[in-house]
Amino acid sequence: LLLRYVTKTPVWSVTLIALTDLLAFLPTFRKTRHDPEAEGIFVYALSSIKFVFVLRSLDIITVTTALYPAYLVLANGIFTIFALVRRWQKG
């Protein structure tokens, strides 16, 4: 709510929320780079799929309504692939 009050527009508010979430996700990438087995990637893969269904269920698709779920599809999907590749590399 604070971001919405500060930005005055819903689009910028959602954009800043997505960027904040991305910054909070970066330590998980760093941890997984060093220890690929530390995270349960099944949960991230399911979350990515879940938000595909969220996007498909939107009646009206705008930047405001679709940005955050789309970000979550990408972030969780990329993380899943990253973790699988790191596990494969570590052997």
Side-chain angles (χ1 to χ4, degrees):
L1 291 174
L2 178 63
L3 289 176
R4 172 70 170 100
Y5 178 75
V6 171
T7 60
K8 306 281 192 255
T9 63
V11 173
W12 282 110
S13 179
V14 172
T15 302
L16 289 176
I17 289 169
L19 288 173
T20 302
D21 194 75
L22 177 63
L23 290 175
F25 204 12
L26 291 178
T28 306
F29 273 90
R30 187 177 61 224
K31 177 180 155 190
T32 302
R33 185 182 64 202
H34 296 295
D35 185 10
E37 302 292 330
E39 294 290 333
I41 59 173
F42 185 69
V43 174
Y44 291 97
L46 281 180
S47 183
S48 186
I49 293 167
K50 172 180 69 174
F51 284 103
V52 168
F53 288 108
V54 168
L55 285 169
R56 300 259 313 144
S57 69
L58 293 174
D59 288 333
I60 299 170
I61 298 177
T62 65
V63 173
T64 304
T65 61
L67 180 65
Y68 192 65
Y71 153 75
L72 289 171
V73 168
L74 288 173
N76 288 312
I78 289 169
F79 178 77
T80 301
I81 293 166
F82 174 73
L84 286 170
V85 168
R86 288 297 296 150
R87 285 180 182 189
W88 178 76
Q89 288 174 339
K90 288 271 185 163

